[in-house]
Amino acid sequence: NISLLERITSCCSIIRTNIKRNSIPSIDDHQLEPKTTMSFEPKTIFEPFRIKSIEPIRTSTRDQRKQALEEAFYNPFLLKAEDVMIDLLTDSGTGAMSKEQWAGMMLGDESYAGATSFYKFERAVKRITGFQHVLPTHQGRAAERILFGSILKPGDIVPNNTHFDTTRANVEYRKAQALDMVVPEGHLPSLEHPFKGNIDLNKLEEAILSNPGRVPLVMVTVTNNSGGGQPVSMANLRGTSELCRNHGIPFFLDACRFAENAYFIKLREEGYRDKTPLQIAQEMFQCADGCTMSAKKDGLSNIGGFLALNDAALAQKAKNMLILSEGYITYGGLAGYDLEAIALGLEEALHEDYLSYRIRSIQYLGELLTKAGVPIVQPPGGHAIYIDAKAMLPHIPAREYPAWALSLVMFLEGGIRSVEIGSVMFGLQPDGSERPAENELVRLAFPRRVYTQSHSEYLAEVIIYIYNIRHRIRGVRMVESPPVLRHFTAKFEPASEGGLVKENDCS
């Protein structure tokens, strides 16, 4: 009788003989072979989410879009959203929320005072910013209005890398001066530079020394929206902080896109590669004394914002204004479910897989356009592509608003809504005079977690087609406008009888 052990031994011997006879490597042979590490780098953008609910896009014809423009007085802000195929007017409040945010909203505590949802929101803000006093507001411009209303007086100066439209308007409403002082590289759209959003520290110090007692605070916008969505380096933030503290001046961040800025620092600044976006964001806020924030951007929410700061006396002034205009200090014009959504969104905005996808999506469209010769602000920003209309349409004078005209043609030809950042937005001066803006840009601001790679490829097709017929594009004239923030409601008409796009005469 053959024992079980002897049978197993005999079978193993037969298997080993067959393996060698047929040159089949054994397990031991595999272990002796050197291991090869394979690296796969996909070209396709991988959106790190599944689409769980959809919103249909209504396609339209060129004739339908032409009529829509006429009815909207040639102002993209006055278009009906249902007539827009791809809406890149803004990334503010237009993103898609996560299932966790939607679920969290069901926990919203709608108590007038002391709501549980407020304390969740407050903890989330303090964890990231470290600031002691947190005031919720219905959106970022309310935080700006409350801050400037608490600290500015007529004749004051507010330095910034570049003020965005509502920030500038809120400063000027207080009869103060909004002073832009981005680094020289930030004035050159085609120049490649890792941190074109930096504030010019030499100009900042000169402004402080030349205006004693007139600079109650300094701001830096991260990322620099009006300057192409360009990031600010940690070294620049530290330099600004040191300069302000040496002169006893509070330093505030306009922190709408703080997470995107943190990720750019991780990618581009020495010493930050191994830090998490949260750690980098925390270090950014440690440089400052406070911040204004629109949670409709890197709060991944559809509404909301906050003012956060350390100065207890200034915070009390701000709370008084908050109660007067927004609501009680634990809701600030927001519902409890909004506070729940923001608390979760602030955390999700710092997830590295999301930020990688977000930055790469913008970069991808930039690569397609650059390859075709379309002039854009380089390198691509964190939330938007900015087309250089001055370079693309040199035949249209500033008085006919080339960037505005280009934004209209993008809707006419492809159903794309964008926003002008040029002489319509920034040409009107506080004294009522008109001065052409330094740059004429068209911003394509991407809502967060909304569009896919195929949408980007459609955008590229439309823009490249427009670039190829750029010599046929004509300007516009303004026929009616308000005295403040005119781009929101101004009315226009084509400057030429032939319309926005001249018929091809083959000449």
Side-chain angles (χ1 to χ4, degrees):
N1 294 329
I2 301 175
S3 69
L4 178 60
L5 178 61
E6 289 174 327
R7 289 183 181 180
I8 293 173
T9 302
S10 176
C11 287
C12 288
S13 176
I14 294 171
I15 290 171
R16 280 195 293 270
T17 300
N18 288 336
I19 287 173
K20 290 179 181 178
R21 183 178 300 155
N22 294 287
S23 299
I24 300 173
S26 68
I27 293 173
D28 288 341
D29 291 331
H30 274 305
Q31 290 172 343
L32 293 173
E33 290 177 358
K35 294 183 179 179
T36 303
T37 301
M38 300 297 291
S39 178
F40 170 62
E41 295 292 340
K43 294 180 180 179
T44 303
I45 297 171
F46 183 82
E47 290 91 359
F49 50 82
R50 295 185 181 94
I51 298 172
K52 198 167 187 176
S53 179
I54 66 164
E55 179 181 342
I57 296 174
R58 191 179 75 180
T59 58
S60 57
T61 66
R62 190 179 190 274
D63 286 342
Q64 289 171 331
R65 295 191 292 268
K66 182 180 179 182
Q67 182 179 348
L69 280 175
E70 293 171 354
E71 293 173 354
F73 302 100
Y74 295 92
N75 186 333
F77 283 97
L78 302 181
L79 289 167
K80 295 178 180 177
E82 64 183 11
D83 293 328
V84 178
M85 290 173 57
I86 296 188
D87 202 341
L88 307 182
L89 183 73
T90 180
D91 62 324
S92 180
T94 55
M97 293 199 300
S98 67
K99 64 179 183 179
E100 286 78 14
Q101 286 178 290
W102 283 110
M105 289 174 70
M106 298 303 296
L107 301 174
D109 179 356
E110 305 302 340
S111 301
Y112 184 89
T116 302
S117 299
F118 167 76
Y119 295 107
K120 289 182 184 178
F121 162 83
E122 183 185 48
R123 283 195 299 272
V125 174
K126 285 185 174 182
R127 175 173 177 256
I128 297 168
T129 70
F131 298 134
Q132 294 303 305
H133 305 280
V134 179
L135 286 69
T137 61
H138 79 275
Q139 61 183 49
R141 69 189 64 178
E144 294 169 351
R145 180 181 53 77
I146 290 170
L147 173 63
F148 297 146
S150 302
I151 200 171
L152 292 185
K153 62 182 184 298
D156 281 343
I157 293 172
V158 181
N160 200 331
N161 49 357
T162 312
H163 293 80
F164 198 55
D165 56 353
T166 61
T167 319
R168 181 180 302 278
N170 272 302
V171 170
E172 293 174 351
Y173 181 74
R174 296 288 167 182
K175 307 300 181 185
Q177 181 183 358
L179 197 60
D180 295 339
M181 45 185 61
V182 74
V183 290
E185 294 87 350
H187 295 284
L188 304 172
S190 63
L191 179 69
E192 291 273 359
H193 186 277
F195 293 105
K196 289 169 73 172
N198 285 353
I199 193 169
D200 189 319
L201 295 177
N202 292 328
K203 287 186 176 180
L204 175 58
E205 185 167 31
E206 181 183 347
I208 293 171
L209 294 175
S210 301
N211 299 278
R214 293 180 59 202
V215 183
L217 80 161
V218 170
M219 294 197 78
V220 170
T221 305
V222 291
T223 56
N224 189 22
N225 190 7
S226 295
Q230 299 297 306
V232 179
S233 70
M234 190 71 77
N236 190 251
L237 292 174
R238 284 198 298 265
T240 306
S241 177
E242 181 179 358
L243 186 57
C244 288
R245 286 171 185 169
N246 288 343
H247 291 278
I249 296 173
F251 171 34
F252 277 73
L253 294 177
D254 178 342
C256 295
R257 299 171 181 87
F258 76 94
E260 292 168 8
N261 199 92
Y263 195 66
F264 275 125
I265 289 174
K266 178 179 176 68
L267 295 177
R268 298 179 181 177
E269 192 162 359
E270 187 176 354
Y272 290 92
R273 176 69 64 175
D274 295 329
K275 292 193 175 184
T276 66
L278 172 61
Q279 291 171 329
I280 297 169
Q282 289 170 331
E283 186 174 338
M284 287 167 53
F285 286 111
Q286 286 170 5
C287 295
D289 300 295
C291 73
T292 59
M293 171 76 183
S294 169
K296 297 165 68 176
K297 284 85 168 178
D298 278 352
L300 300 183
S301 182
N302 300 131
I303 197 69
F306 59 84
L307 169 63
L309 65 166
N310 286 327
D311 187 318
L314 181 57
Q316 187 57 54
K317 288 183 180 179
K319 287 177 182 178
N320 293 339
M321 290 194 67
L322 179 77
I323 294 171
L324 179 65
S325 59
E326 294 285 298
Y328 190 61
I329 57 175
T330 58
Y331 77 89
L334 296 171
Y337 58 71
D338 295 323
L339 295 169
E340 295 276 353
I342 295 168
L344 291 163
L346 288 168
E347 177 185 343
E348 291 176 8
L350 288 164
H351 290 177
E352 197 160 331
D353 57 350
Y354 158 75
L355 284 168
S356 175
Y357 138 78
R358 171 74 171 164
I359 301 302
R360 177 60 189 137
S361 296
I362 310 301
Q363 183 185 46
Y364 176 67
L365 177 58
E367 289 169 355
L368 295 177
L369 298 181
T370 300
K371 185 177 180 180
V374 179
I376 66 171
V377 173
Q378 298 285 4
H383 70 290
I385 290 293
Y386 293 70
I387 301 174
D388 185 352
K390 185 186 288 188
M392 183 170 166
L393 306 173
H395 59 283
I396 299 180
R399 66 178 182 276
E400 293 183 1
Y401 308 116
W404 194 273
L406 179 57
S407 72
L408 296 176
V409 174
M410 290 178 62
F411 177 77
L412 177 66
E413 301 296 348
I416 301 163
R417 180 157 63 170
S418 56
V419 71
E420 183 253 28
I421 298 183
S423 293
V424 174
M425 184 178 285
F426 292 123
L428 183 63
Q429 303 305 302
D431 62 3
S433 63
E434 186 87 17
R435 186 175 67 200
E438 180 182 18
N439 290 310
E440 301 285 354
L441 305 175
V442 175
R443 186 188 72 175
L444 308 172
F446 279 67
R448 291 161 179 81
R449 304 188 292 203
V450 170
Y451 295 117
T452 65
Q453 181 171 338
S454 63
H455 290 109
S456 292
E457 289 167 355
Y458 171 78
L459 286 166
E461 286 185 43
V462 172
I463 296 167
I464 292 168
Y465 166 75
I466 292 170
Y467 178 70
N468 290 332
I469 63 165
R470 61 192 181 279
H471 61 284
R472 293 166 48 197
I473 298 174
R474 297 295 179 261
V476 296
R477 68 171 65 94
M478 192 182 303
V479 296
E480 183 181 319
S481 67
V484 179
L485 294 171
R486 62 184 183 179
H487 51 291
F488 287 114
T489 56
K491 297 178 181 180
F492 299 81
E493 65 183 12
S496 304
E497 290 185 2
L500 294 172
V501 181
K502 183 182 178 182
E503 292 300 320
N504 193 356
D505 56 7
C506 298
S507 59

